[in-house]
Amino acid sequence: MTFDRRIRHDLTALRAVAVLLVVGVHAFGVPIGGWVGVDVFFALSGYLLARSMVSERVRTGRFALGGFLRRRFWRLFPAAVLTLAVVAIGAVVALRQPLAASVLRDSGAAALGIVNWVFLGRDADYWASASSTSPLQHFWSLSVELQFYVVFPLLVAVLWRSLRRPDAVSVRRIAVAASVLVLVASVAWAASAGTTAPAASYFDTGSRLWELAAGAALGALSVPVGARTQRVPARIRVGGVLSGLGVIGVAALTAPGADAVPVPDAVLAVVGTIVVLVSGQGLPPLSVLRWRPVQWVGEASYSIYLWHFPAIVAAAYVFPEQRAVAGSAAVLVGLVLGGLSRRWVELPAMRVGRRPGATVRVVASVASFAVVAFGTGTFTAAPTPQTERVGDGVASAVAEPWTPRSLGAALGNGLRSERWPVGLTPALDELVPGPPQGYEACDRTVIGDPGSCRFAADDPVRQVTVVGSSVGVALMPAAVGAFGHDSIVRGLTASGCPMLDIAVRGKSDDDRRRCNEQRAAAIDEINETTPDIVVVTHGYDGVAQLVGRPSLPEAAREWEAAAGRFVDAVAGSGARVVFVAAVPQGGDPSQCAALRLNGPGACTSELSDAYQLGAAAERRVAESRAGVDFVDSSGWYCVDGRCPVLADDVLIRKDGQHITREFSERLAVVLREAVLAER
């Protein structure tokens, strides 16, 4: 039986495996490490890139960088820009203005090949990272590839020009050396970034180049020069292909989820890809890999990748509480659009690219689209709302605070609301990430500075200290409204830092070190200044995010132990410790209210198991120790377990876990009565 050695069905199958892993994890959350499909794409792209470059130079004696870039452009940009344009237009039509502006900005950055840097900066901002997921977030990997496609060929071309005798062996050796140089530098960078800034390193070009460089080194080596080496028996190479695919499968099942970093978490998938690439060269096609559905998915993998994520995000807007339904619909739409894009955009575009003058005109059009989209998105973004403030950041005019009774009525009205109030405060289009205005110093209190996050009455009768993460920062307006007129209110708060001695996932070693230092300084400050009351508040979503992934009951016991250790640590101050249950995790208005047609009901949520277990853990600590109390605040946010996003015409949450400044200010009376109640 004969076969065409130029057609490598194993590479097409690799693409199919990679895109199915990515689609699976995005649509359904399985396999948990399905994101390694991107690493497979990276290694495969590097392999094909370098093999093409070296083959051209060895075969013709020259390498036309311009021709190479032109071919890459026509292979990638037409389908990508069509996706970007459709998503941008859809966002303007269907989404509220701030999110539509953000999508426009992302589409422009994606067309310029720099959107990974946009997401890198956004993810490095704690408050911004809690906002809605961009439907173009998956374009970060394409931006990394585009950056590699420009820089690596240019580097190799320059090195090739320096050769005095450009024989085939030297040509290949230079390409391999350049690949290894990039690989080593990138691995070192990624290893460092993975410990100091793990969230940002996911999108970082420097942390990802090693994956493309590993494939490039193999691609250069795969070009035959000189005498042929002895072939490895086919049965061994078949075993290698299957083993490599198995390694990729193991990587997808065992890689971490939200807290993954390129080094070391992507290494296994890249190794598996390299094994497949080495073993499959010149191998007769395996029947399972030649199966037509596998080959079809692999051939259309690029377009499927382009369309699947916008489809998933759009489906999540339509079916916010039904992930299985949303995921299934999105996968179907992504496959259909991917197949159509492959047939009617990708393949025709590569033929059009051969026409004289076509490249210049289309590149100019793409550049124009990118500049217009990025500029429009940037300049139409919602401005930061400005509010007059006096004194130490206390609002000059606050609507009348709720009493427990009136708050309950306001929540009931919020549950019954079918439309957004005309006078909604703050307006959905005015939501911006960040700490409450006037309380920026509390975002990370400089504890050594006595004036940092400090609000004092002229003749204070007590000192109230608020300890917590960003949830505590969001509660500061309520605390100042409750006690600022007759007390000293000090916030010992830090966004992203639980002030209990627990370790949550997604934090770098450097983050944990800074949080530990902040917690230790806060405890020392409490023992030194001896406040009358210490209010402690954290988001209970942390119960489900502990390092080691314990079960929820086990995590609740860890939370209880950490709360007990905190109480013991500040016992010397003589302060009364009050644990105030945090706002329940709920729908992010930028997500659940993203569609112009969505009403408040789309953002209604319920108390999670993690919330109830975390609250019960702190209640047990309060019941077992003198001078410690627990305030069940769920009634401040929910009615009979249902939690609206509105209280009358006030928006409760600015994202999934932080209350708005306006709602916080109107909690002042409720918070004061709860904290000062006789125990």
Side-chain angles (χ1 to χ4, degrees):
M1 179 178 180
T2 62
F3 66 96
D4 189 343
R5 293 180 183 273
R6 295 172 299 176
I7 300 176
R8 290 193 56 178
H9 294 83
D10 56 321
L11 301 192
T12 307
L14 261 182
R15 293 190 182 97
V17 169
V19 78
L20 290 176
L21 287 175
V22 173
V23 170
V25 73
H26 285 162
F28 307 109
V30 293
I32 189 172
W35 55 266
V36 301
V38 171
D39 305 303
V40 174
F41 277 130
F42 280 157
L44 179 56
S45 296
Y47 173 86
L48 295 173
L49 169 71
R51 182 174 173 83
S52 173
M53 291 172 55
V54 175
S55 295
E56 179 180 341
R57 182 59 189 265
V58 169
R59 186 180 66 256
T60 66
R62 60 189 298 270
F63 171 65
L65 179 60
F68 170 82
L69 293 177
R70 184 179 65 253
R71 291 191 298 274
R72 288 290 88 194
F73 173 85
W74 285 103
R75 170 69 180 86
L76 300 174
F77 269 86
V81 172
L82 175 63
T83 305
L84 294 174
V86 170
V87 171
I89 293 170
V92 171
V93 171
L95 303 182
R96 296 185 185 277
Q97 189 270 338
L99 186 54
S102 178
V103 173
L104 277 175
R105 192 164 54 245
D106 292 347
S107 65
L112 292 171
I114 59 171
V115 77
N116 65 308
W117 297 340
V118 173
F119 295 140
L120 191 153
R122 192 177 298 168
D123 212 56
D125 182 330
Y126 176 82
W127 295 85
S129 66
S131 62
S132 178
T133 300
S134 169
L136 300 174
Q137 184 163 300
H138 62 313
F139 267 80
W140 74 268
S141 64
L142 302 180
S143 291
V144 171
E145 285 196 20
L146 288 173
Q147 292 155 25
F148 184 79
Y149 287 164
V150 172
V151 174
F152 183 77
L154 184 60
L155 170 64
V156 174
V158 169
L159 293 175
W160 277 342
R161 289 181 65 88
S162 68
L163 286 174
R164 293 184 178 179
R165 292 186 297 176
D167 58 275
V169 174
S170 298
V171 165
R172 188 174 72 170
R173 184 182 297 125
I174 286 291
V176 172
S179 302
V180 172
L181 176 65
V182 173
L183 187 152
V184 171
S186 177
V187 166
W189 178 271
S192 173
T195 58
T196 59
S201 71
Y202 191 86
F203 298 117
D204 182 27
T205 304
S207 296
R208 292 292 186 173
L209 288 179
W210 68 270
E211 303 176 43
L212 290 125
L218 179 63
L221 285 171
S222 70
V223 177
V225 296
R228 287 183 173 273
T229 57
Q230 184 177 2
R231 288 189 175 276
V232 177
R235 64 179 182 278
I236 295 179
R237 288 188 289 134
V238 168
V241 170
L242 297 178
S243 297
L245 292 172
V247 169
I248 293 170
V250 170
L253 293 172
T254 60
D259 50 354
V261 292
V263 173
D265 297 323
V267 171
L268 195 59
V270 173
V271 169
T273 305
I274 296 298
V275 171
V276 173
L277 294 174
V278 170
S279 303
Q281 187 165 344
L283 186 69
L286 303 178
S287 58
V288 65
L289 302 185
R290 293 180 61 190
W291 191 37
R292 188 53 197 157
V294 172
Q295 291 295 301
W296 183 88
V297 171
E299 290 166 357
S301 60
Y302 177 60
S303 284
I304 292 172
Y305 183 83
L306 291 176
W307 285 105
H308 87 282
F309 199 68
I312 288 170
V313 173
Y317 291 151
V318 178
F319 306 105
E321 301 299 325
Q322 298 169 296
R323 181 169 188 175
V325 174
S328 300
V331 169
L332 179 61
V333 171
L335 289 173
V336 170
L337 292 179
L340 292 174
S341 176
R342 169 69 176 175
R343 173 66 180 84
W344 298 106
V345 182
E346 276 190 67
L347 297 177
M350 287 186 279
R351 291 192 292 270
V352 171
R354 302 190 186 104
R355 298 176 183 173
T359 301
V360 174
R361 292 192 298 270
V362 176
V363 167
S365 300
V366 171
S368 299
F369 166 81
V371 171
V372 170
F374 189 82
T376 303
T378 299
F379 291 111
T380 60
T384 302
Q386 300 295 322
T387 303
E388 291 293 326
R389 294 200 169 263
V390 298
D392 289 292
V394 182
S396 58
V398 179
E400 182 179 355
W402 286 301
T403 64
R405 185 186 184 92
S406 62
L407 175 57
L411 293 173
N413 292 336
L415 280 173
R416 289 187 292 272
S417 294
E418 297 180 358
R419 301 174 183 267
W420 296 103
V422 175
L424 180 63
T425 307
L428 290 170
D429 290 351
E430 294 178 349
L431 292 178
V432 291
Q437 283 191 301
Y439 299 86
E440 290 81 1
C442 306
D443 196 31
R444 188 178 186 86
T445 304
V446 181
I447 295 177
D449 176 3
S452 179
C453 194
R454 183 179 186 273
F455 307 83
D458 293 334
D459 188 19
V461 299
R462 71 177 67 81
Q463 177 170 337
V464 178
T465 296
V466 178
V467 176
S469 59
S470 56
V471 171
V473 178
L475 192 66
M476 283 300 298
V480 172
F483 300 104
H485 63 285
D486 66 355
S487 307
I488 296 171
V489 180
R490 182 84 194 277
L492 302 181
T493 48
S495 295
C497 287
M499 287 297 172
L500 301 182
D501 182 18
I502 55 175
V504 297
R505 301 191 298 274
K507 304 292 182 183
S508 69
D509 293 342
D510 202 38
D511 288 337
R512 292 193 176 98
R513 176 186 58 77
R514 288 196 294 265
C515 289
N516 290 340
E517 290 174 352
Q518 187 81 350
R519 180 172 59 250
I523 291 171
D524 290 343
E525 180 73 4
I526 291 170
N527 286 325
E528 181 178 336
T529 58
T530 62
D532 299 279
I533 300 171
V534 174
V535 173
V536 185
T537 186
H538 295 90
Y540 292 141
D541 60 301
V543 174
Q545 298 174 0
L546 298 188
V547 170
R549 302 181 185 276
S551 66
L552 282 180
E554 292 171 339
R557 287 192 288 271
E558 290 187 32
W559 193 277
E560 179 179 352
R565 288 193 296 271
F566 177 85
V567 170
D568 295 339
V570 300
S573 69
R576 176 170 159 250
V577 177
V578 181
F579 288 97
V580 176
V583 57
Q585 185 89 1
D588 179 352
S590 68
Q591 183 85 17
C592 56
L595 294 177
R596 297 179 188 273
L597 299 177
N598 280 0
C603 297
T604 298
S605 57
E606 298 180 351
L607 295 178
S608 67
D609 291 340
Y611 183 95
Q612 297 181 70
L613 288 170
E618 290 181 351
R619 187 191 300 276
R620 288 193 295 271
V621 172
E623 292 172 347
S624 64
R625 286 170 166 81
V628 182
D629 294 298
F630 173 76
V631 173
D632 181 0
S633 69
S634 61
W636 304 355
Y637 310 103
C638 310
V639 177
D640 297 329
R642 298 183 65 228
C643 312
V645 74
L646 294 178
D648 284 338
D649 60 354
V650 178
L651 193 65
I652 295 176
R653 295 185 308 276
K654 66 189 302 180
D655 52 38
Q657 61 182 347
H658 302 108
I659 57 176
T660 63
R661 174 180 57 81
E662 291 79 359
F663 181 79
S664 184
E665 288 171 343
R666 294 191 66 177
L667 280 181
V669 170
V670 176
L671 177 64
R672 183 182 177 93
E673 290 186 8
V675 170
L676 296 183
E678 292 292 333
R679 304 290 172 182

